[in-house]
Each structure stands twice: as structure tokens, then as C-alpha cells.
Short mmCIF file of all heavy atoms in Angstrom, two decimals:
data_model
loop_
_atom_site.label_atom_id
_atom_site.label_comp_id
_atom_site.label_asym_id
_atom_site.label_seq_id
_atom_site.Cartn_x
_atom_site.Cartn_y
_atom_site.Cartn_z
N MET A 126 47.95 90.48 1.57
CA MET A 126 48.71 91.46 0.78
C MET A 126 48.18 92.85 1.09
O MET A 126 46.98 93.09 1.04
CB MET A 126 48.53 91.12 -0.71
CG MET A 126 49.27 92.02 -1.66
SD MET A 126 48.89 91.51 -3.39
CE MET A 126 49.98 92.59 -4.27
N LYS A 127 49.12 93.74 1.45
CA LYS A 127 48.74 95.12 1.74
C LYS A 127 49.43 96.06 0.77
O LYS A 127 50.59 95.85 0.42
CB LYS A 127 49.18 95.51 3.16
CG LYS A 127 48.21 95.14 4.25
CD LYS A 127 48.74 95.77 5.54
CE LYS A 127 48.16 95.14 6.77
NZ LYS A 127 46.88 95.63 7.15
N LEU A 128 48.72 97.12 0.39
CA LEU A 128 49.29 98.11 -0.51
C LEU A 128 49.20 99.48 0.14
O LEU A 128 48.26 99.75 0.90
CB LEU A 128 48.52 98.14 -1.83
CG LEU A 128 48.46 96.84 -2.62
CD1 LEU A 128 47.60 97.02 -3.85
CD2 LEU A 128 49.85 96.37 -3.02
N ALA A 129 50.16 100.33 -0.18
CA ALA A 129 50.14 101.71 0.29
C ALA A 129 50.07 102.63 -0.93
O ALA A 129 50.65 102.34 -1.97
CB ALA A 129 51.40 102.02 1.10
N ILE A 130 49.33 103.71 -0.78
CA ILE A 130 49.19 104.69 -1.86
C ILE A 130 49.82 106.00 -1.40
O ILE A 130 49.42 106.56 -0.38
CB ILE A 130 47.69 104.97 -2.18
CG1 ILE A 130 46.84 103.70 -2.14
CG2 ILE A 130 47.58 105.72 -3.50
CD1 ILE A 130 47.21 102.65 -3.12
N ASP A 131 50.79 106.47 -2.16
CA ASP A 131 51.48 107.71 -1.82
C ASP A 131 50.69 108.90 -2.37
O ASP A 131 50.60 109.10 -3.59
CB ASP A 131 52.89 107.69 -2.41
CG ASP A 131 53.73 108.85 -1.90
OD1 ASP A 131 53.17 109.95 -1.69
OD2 ASP A 131 54.95 108.66 -1.73
N GLY A 132 50.14 109.68 -1.46
CA GLY A 132 49.32 110.82 -1.86
C GLY A 132 50.11 111.92 -2.56
O GLY A 132 49.54 112.74 -3.28
N LYS A 133 51.43 111.95 -2.36
CA LYS A 133 52.24 112.96 -3.03
C LYS A 133 52.47 112.58 -4.50
O LYS A 133 52.77 113.44 -5.32
CB LYS A 133 53.58 113.13 -2.32
CG LYS A 133 53.43 113.77 -0.93
CD LYS A 133 54.74 114.02 -0.26
CE LYS A 133 55.47 112.75 0.16
NZ LYS A 133 54.71 111.93 1.10
N LEU A 134 52.35 111.29 -4.79
CA LEU A 134 52.60 110.82 -6.16
C LEU A 134 51.32 110.64 -6.96
O LEU A 134 51.31 110.84 -8.18
CB LEU A 134 53.37 109.50 -6.12
CG LEU A 134 54.80 109.59 -5.57
CD1 LEU A 134 55.42 108.20 -5.52
CD2 LEU A 134 55.65 110.52 -6.42
N CYS A 135 50.24 110.23 -6.32
CA CYS A 135 48.99 110.00 -7.06
C CYS A 135 48.53 111.29 -7.72
O CYS A 135 48.36 112.31 -7.07
CB CYS A 135 47.89 109.47 -6.13
SG CYS A 135 46.31 109.27 -6.99
N SER A 136 48.36 111.22 -9.03
CA SER A 136 47.94 112.39 -9.80
C SER A 136 46.58 112.19 -10.44
O SER A 136 46.18 112.96 -11.30
CB SER A 136 48.97 112.68 -10.90
OG SER A 136 50.26 112.77 -10.36
N GLY A 137 45.90 111.12 -10.06
CA GLY A 137 44.55 110.89 -10.56
C GLY A 137 44.46 110.28 -11.94
O GLY A 137 43.49 110.49 -12.65
N HIS A 138 45.47 109.50 -12.32
CA HIS A 138 45.42 108.87 -13.64
C HIS A 138 44.29 107.85 -13.74
O HIS A 138 43.75 107.62 -14.83
CB HIS A 138 46.74 108.18 -13.96
CG HIS A 138 47.85 109.14 -14.21
ND1 HIS A 138 47.99 109.83 -15.39
CD2 HIS A 138 48.88 109.55 -13.43
CE1 HIS A 138 49.05 110.61 -15.33
NE2 HIS A 138 49.62 110.46 -14.15
N GLY A 139 43.94 107.22 -12.64
CA GLY A 139 42.77 106.35 -12.62
C GLY A 139 42.97 104.95 -13.17
O GLY A 139 42.02 104.18 -13.25
N ARG A 140 44.18 104.61 -13.55
CA ARG A 140 44.38 103.26 -14.10
C ARG A 140 44.18 102.20 -13.02
O ARG A 140 43.73 101.10 -13.32
CB ARG A 140 45.78 103.14 -14.68
CG ARG A 140 45.98 104.01 -15.91
CD ARG A 140 47.30 103.70 -16.54
NE ARG A 140 47.63 104.68 -17.56
CZ ARG A 140 48.79 104.74 -18.17
NH1 ARG A 140 49.74 103.88 -17.87
NH2 ARG A 140 49.03 105.64 -19.08
N CYS A 141 44.55 102.51 -11.80
CA CYS A 141 44.47 101.52 -10.72
C CYS A 141 43.03 101.04 -10.52
O CYS A 141 42.76 99.84 -10.59
CB CYS A 141 45.03 102.09 -9.42
SG CYS A 141 44.29 103.66 -8.94
N TYR A 142 42.11 101.96 -10.31
CA TYR A 142 40.73 101.52 -10.04
C TYR A 142 39.99 101.09 -11.30
O TYR A 142 38.99 100.40 -11.23
CB TYR A 142 39.93 102.57 -9.24
CG TYR A 142 39.95 103.98 -9.78
CD1 TYR A 142 39.18 104.35 -10.86
CD2 TYR A 142 40.75 104.94 -9.17
CE1 TYR A 142 39.19 105.65 -11.33
CE2 TYR A 142 40.77 106.25 -9.63
CZ TYR A 142 39.99 106.60 -10.72
OH TYR A 142 40.01 107.89 -11.18
N THR A 143 40.50 101.48 -12.48
CA THR A 143 39.91 100.99 -13.72
C THR A 143 40.30 99.52 -13.94
O THR A 143 39.46 98.69 -14.31
CB THR A 143 40.39 101.83 -14.91
OG1 THR A 143 39.99 103.18 -14.71
CG2 THR A 143 39.78 101.33 -16.22
N LEU A 144 41.55 99.20 -13.67
CA LEU A 144 42.04 97.84 -13.89
C LEU A 144 41.68 96.90 -12.73
O LEU A 144 41.56 95.70 -12.94
CB LEU A 144 43.57 97.86 -14.06
CG LEU A 144 44.04 98.48 -15.37
CD1 LEU A 144 45.51 98.83 -15.29
CD2 LEU A 144 43.78 97.52 -16.53
N ALA A 145 41.54 97.43 -11.54
CA ALA A 145 41.26 96.59 -10.38
C ALA A 145 40.17 97.25 -9.52
O ALA A 145 40.42 97.68 -8.40
CB ALA A 145 42.54 96.39 -9.56
N PRO A 146 38.95 97.27 -10.04
CA PRO A 146 37.87 97.99 -9.33
C PRO A 146 37.46 97.35 -8.01
O PRO A 146 36.82 98.01 -7.20
CB PRO A 146 36.71 97.97 -10.35
CG PRO A 146 37.01 96.84 -11.27
CD PRO A 146 38.51 96.73 -11.34
N LYS A 147 37.83 96.08 -7.81
CA LYS A 147 37.49 95.45 -6.52
C LYS A 147 38.57 95.72 -5.47
O LYS A 147 38.42 95.34 -4.31
CB LYS A 147 37.31 93.95 -6.71
CG LYS A 147 36.07 93.63 -7.54
CD LYS A 147 35.87 92.15 -7.67
CE LYS A 147 34.61 91.87 -8.49
NZ LYS A 147 34.55 90.47 -8.92
N VAL A 148 39.65 96.34 -5.90
CA VAL A 148 40.76 96.63 -4.97
C VAL A 148 40.82 98.12 -4.65
O VAL A 148 40.93 98.52 -3.49
CB VAL A 148 42.11 96.19 -5.57
CG1 VAL A 148 43.26 96.51 -4.60
CG2 VAL A 148 42.08 94.70 -5.93
N PHE A 149 40.75 98.93 -5.71
CA PHE A 149 40.93 100.37 -5.55
C PHE A 149 39.63 101.11 -5.82
O PHE A 149 38.76 100.63 -6.55
CB PHE A 149 42.00 100.88 -6.53
CG PHE A 149 43.32 100.18 -6.42
CD1 PHE A 149 43.72 99.29 -7.40
CD2 PHE A 149 44.15 100.42 -5.34
CE1 PHE A 149 44.95 98.65 -7.32
CE2 PHE A 149 45.38 99.77 -5.24
CZ PHE A 149 45.77 98.88 -6.23
N ASP A 150 39.54 102.29 -5.26
CA ASP A 150 38.37 103.14 -5.45
C ASP A 150 38.86 104.55 -5.75
O ASP A 150 40.00 104.89 -5.45
CB ASP A 150 37.52 103.13 -4.17
CG ASP A 150 36.05 103.37 -4.48
OD1 ASP A 150 35.71 103.67 -5.64
OD2 ASP A 150 35.25 103.25 -3.53
N SER A 151 37.99 105.35 -6.34
CA SER A 151 38.37 106.74 -6.61
C SER A 151 37.67 107.67 -5.64
O SER A 151 36.58 107.36 -5.14
CB SER A 151 37.98 107.13 -8.04
OG SER A 151 36.58 107.09 -8.19
N ASP A 152 38.30 108.81 -5.40
CA ASP A 152 37.60 109.83 -4.62
C ASP A 152 36.83 110.72 -5.59
O ASP A 152 36.80 110.48 -6.80
CB ASP A 152 38.57 110.61 -3.72
CG ASP A 152 39.52 111.50 -4.50
OD1 ASP A 152 39.35 111.68 -5.72
OD2 ASP A 152 40.46 112.04 -3.87
N ALA A 153 36.21 111.76 -5.08
CA ALA A 153 35.34 112.61 -5.92
C ALA A 153 36.10 113.30 -7.03
O ALA A 153 35.51 113.71 -8.03
CB ALA A 153 34.63 113.63 -5.04
N GLU A 154 37.41 113.43 -6.88
CA GLU A 154 38.20 114.14 -7.89
C GLU A 154 39.02 113.21 -8.77
O GLU A 154 39.84 113.67 -9.55
CB GLU A 154 39.10 115.16 -7.19
CG GLU A 154 38.26 116.26 -6.55
CD GLU A 154 39.03 117.12 -5.59
OE1 GLU A 154 40.13 116.72 -5.18
OE2 GLU A 154 38.52 118.19 -5.23
N GLY A 155 38.81 111.91 -8.62
CA GLY A 155 39.48 110.96 -9.49
C GLY A 155 40.81 110.44 -8.97
O GLY A 155 41.48 109.66 -9.64
N TYR A 156 41.18 110.87 -7.78
CA TYR A 156 42.39 110.32 -7.16
C TYR A 156 42.06 108.99 -6.50
O TYR A 156 40.89 108.68 -6.24
CB TYR A 156 42.94 111.29 -6.10
CG TYR A 156 43.47 112.57 -6.67
CD1 TYR A 156 42.62 113.65 -6.91
CD2 TYR A 156 44.82 112.71 -6.97
CE1 TYR A 156 43.10 114.84 -7.44
CE2 TYR A 156 45.30 113.90 -7.51
CZ TYR A 156 44.43 114.95 -7.74
OH TYR A 156 44.92 116.12 -8.28
N ASN A 157 43.08 108.22 -6.23
CA ASN A 157 42.87 106.98 -5.48
C ASN A 157 42.32 107.35 -4.10
O ASN A 157 42.87 108.20 -3.41
CB ASN A 157 44.21 106.23 -5.36
CG ASN A 157 44.02 104.84 -4.81
OD1 ASN A 157 43.44 104.66 -3.75
ND2 ASN A 157 44.51 103.87 -5.53
N ALA A 158 41.22 106.72 -3.72
CA ALA A 158 40.54 107.09 -2.48
C ALA A 158 41.32 106.71 -1.23
O ALA A 158 41.00 107.17 -0.14
CB ALA A 158 39.16 106.44 -2.44
N ALA A 159 42.35 105.90 -1.40
CA ALA A 159 43.05 105.38 -0.23
C ALA A 159 44.42 106.02 -0.02
O ALA A 159 45.28 105.43 0.62
CB ALA A 159 43.20 103.86 -0.35
N VAL A 160 44.61 107.24 -0.52
CA VAL A 160 45.92 107.87 -0.33
C VAL A 160 46.23 108.02 1.15
O VAL A 160 45.35 108.36 1.95
CB VAL A 160 46.03 109.25 -1.04
CG1 VAL A 160 46.04 109.08 -2.54
CG2 VAL A 160 44.94 110.19 -0.60
N GLU A 161 47.47 107.74 1.46
CA GLU A 161 47.99 107.83 2.84
C GLU A 161 47.33 106.84 3.79
O GLU A 161 47.35 107.03 5.00
CB GLU A 161 47.89 109.25 3.40
CG GLU A 161 48.57 110.30 2.52
CD GLU A 161 50.03 109.97 2.17
OE1 GLU A 161 50.66 109.18 2.90
OE2 GLU A 161 50.53 110.49 1.17
N THR A 162 46.72 105.81 3.22
CA THR A 162 46.25 104.71 4.07
C THR A 162 46.77 103.42 3.43
O THR A 162 47.48 103.46 2.43
CB THR A 162 44.71 104.65 4.16
OG1 THR A 162 44.19 104.40 2.85
CG2 THR A 162 44.13 105.95 4.68
N GLN A 163 46.41 102.31 4.01
CA GLN A 163 46.80 101.02 3.43
C GLN A 163 45.57 100.24 3.03
O GLN A 163 44.52 100.35 3.66
CB GLN A 163 47.63 100.22 4.44
CG GLN A 163 48.96 100.92 4.72
CD GLN A 163 49.86 100.11 5.62
OE1 GLN A 163 49.48 99.08 6.15
NE2 GLN A 163 51.07 100.60 5.79
N ILE A 164 45.71 99.47 1.97
CA ILE A 164 44.61 98.67 1.46
C ILE A 164 44.91 97.20 1.73
O ILE A 164 46.01 96.73 1.43
CB ILE A 164 44.48 98.87 -0.07
CG1 ILE A 164 44.01 100.28 -0.38
CG2 ILE A 164 43.53 97.83 -0.67
CD1 ILE A 164 43.96 100.56 -1.87
N ASP A 165 43.95 96.49 2.27
CA ASP A 165 44.03 95.03 2.35
C ASP A 165 43.42 94.48 1.07
O ASP A 165 42.23 94.68 0.81
CB ASP A 165 43.24 94.51 3.55
CG ASP A 165 44.01 94.69 4.84
OD1 ASP A 165 45.20 94.29 4.87
OD2 ASP A 165 43.44 95.23 5.80
N VAL A 166 44.22 93.81 0.27
CA VAL A 166 43.73 93.28 -1.00
C VAL A 166 42.82 92.09 -0.71
O VAL A 166 43.23 91.15 -0.02
CB VAL A 166 44.90 92.86 -1.90
CG1 VAL A 166 44.40 92.22 -3.19
CG2 VAL A 166 45.78 94.07 -2.22
N PRO A 167 41.59 92.11 -1.22
CA PRO A 167 40.68 90.98 -0.98
C PRO A 167 41.25 89.68 -1.58
O PRO A 167 41.96 89.72 -2.59
CB PRO A 167 39.40 91.39 -1.71
CG PRO A 167 39.50 92.86 -1.94
CD PRO A 167 40.96 93.17 -2.04
N ALA A 168 40.91 88.57 -0.97
CA ALA A 168 41.37 87.27 -1.47
C ALA A 168 40.96 87.10 -2.93
O ALA A 168 39.83 87.43 -3.31
CB ALA A 168 40.77 86.16 -0.63
N GLY A 169 41.86 86.63 -3.73
CA GLY A 169 41.58 86.39 -5.14
C GLY A 169 41.81 87.60 -6.02
O GLY A 169 41.71 87.50 -7.25
N GLN A 170 42.12 88.74 -5.44
CA GLN A 170 42.30 89.97 -6.22
C GLN A 170 43.77 90.38 -6.34
O GLN A 170 44.08 91.48 -6.80
CB GLN A 170 41.51 91.11 -5.56
CG GLN A 170 40.01 90.95 -5.65
CD GLN A 170 39.52 90.98 -7.09
OE1 GLN A 170 39.89 91.85 -7.87
NE2 GLN A 170 38.71 90.01 -7.46
N GLU A 171 44.66 89.49 -5.93
CA GLU A 171 46.07 89.85 -5.91
C GLU A 171 46.61 90.19 -7.30
O GLU A 171 47.38 91.14 -7.45
CB GLU A 171 46.91 88.72 -5.29
CG GLU A 171 46.67 88.51 -3.80
CD GLU A 171 45.46 87.63 -3.50
OE1 GLU A 171 44.76 87.19 -4.45
OE2 GLU A 171 45.22 87.36 -2.30
N GLU A 172 46.21 89.40 -8.29
CA GLU A 172 46.74 89.63 -9.64
C GLU A 172 46.23 90.96 -10.18
O GLU A 172 47.00 91.74 -10.78
CB GLU A 172 46.34 88.47 -10.56
CG GLU A 172 47.21 88.33 -11.78
CD GLU A 172 48.71 88.38 -11.47
OE1 GLU A 172 49.19 87.70 -10.55
OE2 GLU A 172 49.40 89.14 -12.18
N ALA A 173 44.94 91.25 -9.97
CA ALA A 173 44.39 92.53 -10.41
C ALA A 173 45.08 93.68 -9.68
O ALA A 173 45.39 94.72 -10.28
CB ALA A 173 42.88 92.56 -10.15
N ALA A 174 45.34 93.48 -8.40
CA ALA A 174 46.01 94.53 -7.62
C ALA A 174 47.41 94.81 -8.16
O ALA A 174 47.82 95.97 -8.29
CB ALA A 174 46.09 94.11 -6.15
N ARG A 175 48.13 93.73 -8.50
CA ARG A 175 49.48 93.92 -9.05
C ARG A 175 49.42 94.63 -10.39
O ARG A 175 50.28 95.46 -10.70
CB ARG A 175 50.17 92.56 -9.23
CG ARG A 175 50.63 91.95 -7.93
CD ARG A 175 51.29 90.61 -8.20
NE ARG A 175 51.29 89.79 -7.01
CZ ARG A 175 52.19 89.90 -6.03
NH1 ARG A 175 53.16 90.77 -6.14
NH2 ARG A 175 52.11 89.13 -4.97
N MET A 176 48.44 94.30 -11.20
CA MET A 176 48.27 94.95 -12.50
C MET A 176 48.01 96.44 -12.29
O MET A 176 48.64 97.30 -12.93
CB MET A 176 47.11 94.31 -13.25
CG MET A 176 46.76 94.98 -14.54
SD MET A 176 47.91 94.63 -15.84
CE MET A 176 47.30 93.03 -16.34
N GLY A 177 47.08 96.77 -11.41
CA GLY A 177 46.78 98.18 -11.14
C GLY A 177 48.00 98.91 -10.62
O GLY A 177 48.25 100.07 -10.97
N MET A 178 48.76 98.22 -9.78
CA MET A 178 49.97 98.82 -9.21
C MET A 178 51.01 99.08 -10.31
O MET A 178 51.58 100.17 -10.41
CB MET A 178 50.53 97.87 -8.16
CG MET A 178 51.78 98.34 -7.48
SD MET A 178 52.30 97.20 -6.19
CE MET A 178 52.89 95.84 -7.15
N ARG A 179 51.23 98.09 -11.15
CA ARG A 179 52.25 98.22 -12.21
C ARG A 179 51.89 99.30 -13.22
O ARG A 179 52.78 99.95 -13.76
CB ARG A 179 52.41 96.89 -12.94
CG ARG A 179 53.29 95.90 -12.23
CD ARG A 179 53.79 94.83 -13.19
NE ARG A 179 52.72 94.05 -13.75
CZ ARG A 179 52.25 92.92 -13.25
NH1 ARG A 179 52.80 92.42 -12.16
NH2 ARG A 179 51.26 92.27 -13.82
N MET A 180 50.61 99.47 -13.47
CA MET A 180 50.19 100.39 -14.52
C MET A 180 50.06 101.83 -14.05
O MET A 180 49.77 102.72 -14.84
CB MET A 180 48.87 99.92 -15.13
CG MET A 180 48.96 98.57 -15.83
SD MET A 180 50.28 98.49 -17.07
CE MET A 180 49.50 99.40 -18.40
N CYS A 181 50.26 102.10 -12.77
CA CYS A 181 50.22 103.49 -12.30
C CYS A 181 51.44 104.23 -12.85
O CYS A 181 52.57 103.88 -12.53
CB CYS A 181 50.22 103.54 -10.78
SG CYS A 181 50.36 105.26 -10.18
N PRO A 182 51.23 105.25 -13.66
CA PRO A 182 52.36 105.96 -14.27
C PRO A 182 53.24 106.68 -13.25
O PRO A 182 54.39 106.98 -13.53
CB PRO A 182 51.70 106.98 -15.21
CG PRO A 182 50.27 106.61 -15.29
CD PRO A 182 49.94 105.80 -14.08
N GLU A 183 52.68 106.97 -12.09
CA GLU A 183 53.43 107.71 -11.06
C GLU A 183 54.11 106.79 -10.06
O GLU A 183 54.79 107.26 -9.15
CB GLU A 183 52.50 108.67 -10.31
CG GLU A 183 51.67 109.57 -11.20
CD GLU A 183 52.50 110.55 -12.02
OE1 GLU A 183 53.65 110.80 -11.64
OE2 GLU A 183 51.99 111.03 -13.05
N LYS A 184 53.90 105.49 -10.21
CA LYS A 184 54.45 104.51 -9.24
C LYS A 184 54.02 104.86 -7.81
O LYS A 184 54.82 104.79 -6.87
CB LYS A 184 55.99 104.45 -9.32
CG LYS A 184 56.49 104.15 -10.72
CD LYS A 184 56.50 102.67 -10.98
CE LYS A 184 57.08 102.28 -12.32
NZ LYS A 184 56.10 102.14 -13.39
N ALA A 185 52.78 105.27 -7.67
CA ALA A 185 52.27 105.72 -6.38
C ALA A 185 51.87 104.57 -5.46
O ALA A 185 51.65 104.78 -4.27
CB ALA A 185 51.07 106.64 -6.58
N ILE A 186 51.76 103.35 -6.02
CA ILE A 186 51.27 102.21 -5.25
C ILE A 186 52.42 101.25 -4.98
O ILE A 186 53.13 100.87 -5.91
CB ILE A 186 50.16 101.48 -6.02
CG1 ILE A 186 49.04 102.47 -6.39
CG2 ILE A 186 49.60 100.32 -5.20
CD1 ILE A 186 48.02 101.91 -7.37
N THR A 187 52.59 100.90 -3.73
CA THR A 187 53.67 99.96 -3.38
C THR A 187 53.13 98.88 -2.44
O THR A 187 52.13 99.08 -1.74
CB THR A 187 54.82 100.69 -2.65
OG1 THR A 187 54.29 101.47 -1.58
CG2 THR A 187 55.57 101.60 -3.61
N ILE A 188 53.79 97.75 -2.47
CA ILE A 188 53.44 96.66 -1.57
C ILE A 188 54.03 96.92 -0.20
O ILE A 188 55.20 97.33 -0.09
CB ILE A 188 53.96 95.31 -2.12
CG1 ILE A 188 53.25 94.98 -3.43
CG2 ILE A 188 53.75 94.19 -1.09
CD1 ILE A 188 53.75 93.71 -4.11
N VAL A 189 53.23 96.73 0.84
CA VAL A 189 53.71 96.89 2.21
C VAL A 189 54.20 95.55 2.70
O VAL A 189 53.44 94.57 2.71
CB VAL A 189 52.57 97.40 3.12
CG1 VAL A 189 53.06 97.54 4.56
CG2 VAL A 189 52.02 98.72 2.60
N GLU A 190 55.46 95.48 3.06
CA GLU A 190 56.02 94.23 3.58
C GLU A 190 55.44 93.97 4.96
O GLU A 190 55.36 94.87 5.79
CB GLU A 190 57.55 94.32 3.66
CG GLU A 190 58.22 94.59 2.34
CD GLU A 190 58.05 93.46 1.32
OE1 GLU A 190 57.74 92.33 1.74
OE2 GLU A 190 58.19 93.73 0.12
N GLU A 191 55.03 92.74 5.22
CA GLU A 191 54.46 92.42 6.53
C GLU A 191 55.39 91.51 7.31
O GLU A 191 56.22 90.87 6.77
CB GLU A 191 53.11 91.73 6.36
CG GLU A 191 52.09 92.69 5.74
CD GLU A 191 50.72 92.05 5.64
OE1 GLU A 191 50.46 91.39 4.64
OE2 GLU A 191 49.92 92.24 6.55
FE1 F3S B 1643 46.65 107.65 -8.67
FE2 F3S B 1643 48.18 106.02 -10.00
FE3 F3S B 1643 45.75 105.34 -9.50
S1 F3S B 1643 48.17 108.23 -10.20
S2 F3S B 1643 44.58 107.25 -9.41
S3 F3S B 1643 47.34 105.68 -7.99
S4 F3S B 1643 46.81 105.00 -11.40
#
């Protein structure tokens, strides 16, 4: 499972890395550290990743179809 983070939408709400700390990380300013890159979700973290994705108020996180 791969996720993409839209840097134009991420506003630093921080729900993603709070809810799924093994999937997402923050940068020094509280934004998702992986903006404009793709994240490989670690095995077993899919549900946490989906939760973090759903709870982003800006809808900045999307699943990358493979
Ligand atoms: Fe950004 Fe959404 Fe996370 S605004 S810090 S991707 S909860």
C-alpha cells in the first residue's frame, strides 16, 4: 500500500502522524514530513494508515493505485 501526501493541501494539522506514528512523521514545523513523496505503508499498519488518511481535515493523503 502506497500513500501520497499533497504538499499544497497539508496544513500541519498533525492528525496523521498522531494517529499512525509508525506510518507518518512530522517535519520541524509540524507538517507531514513526506509531502510530495510517496510512503510505503509498513506491513500491519494499513488500518492505522487509513485512519490517519481519513482524519486529515484537508484530505491531503491519498492512496496511490499500483
Ligand atoms: Fe498534514 Fe493532514 Fe497530516 S494537514 S500534517 S497530512 S493530518
Side-chain angles (χ1 to χ4, degrees):
M126 181 182 185
K127 274 188 199 277
L128 302 177
I130 320 298
D131 189 326
K133 292 184 291 300
L134 293 177
C135 176
S136 307
H138 290 283
R140 293 188 191 173
C141 54
Y142 51 77
T143 300
L144 289 164
K147 292 182 179 166
V148 179
F149 304 107
D150 208 353
S151 64
D152 69 9
E154 293 167 345
Y156 292 86
N157 190 306
V160 291
E161 305 307 339
T162 63
Q163 294 185 353
I164 292 175
D165 281 310
V166 176
Q170 292 296 313
E171 292 84 358
E172 201 48 48
R175 286 179 201 278
M176 174 76 81
M178 180 176 72
R179 279 199 298 268
M180 296 307 283
C181 173
E183 308 296 340
K184 305 276 184 266
I186 305 169
T187 51
I188 295 176
V189 179
E190 301 295 340
E191 294 183 273

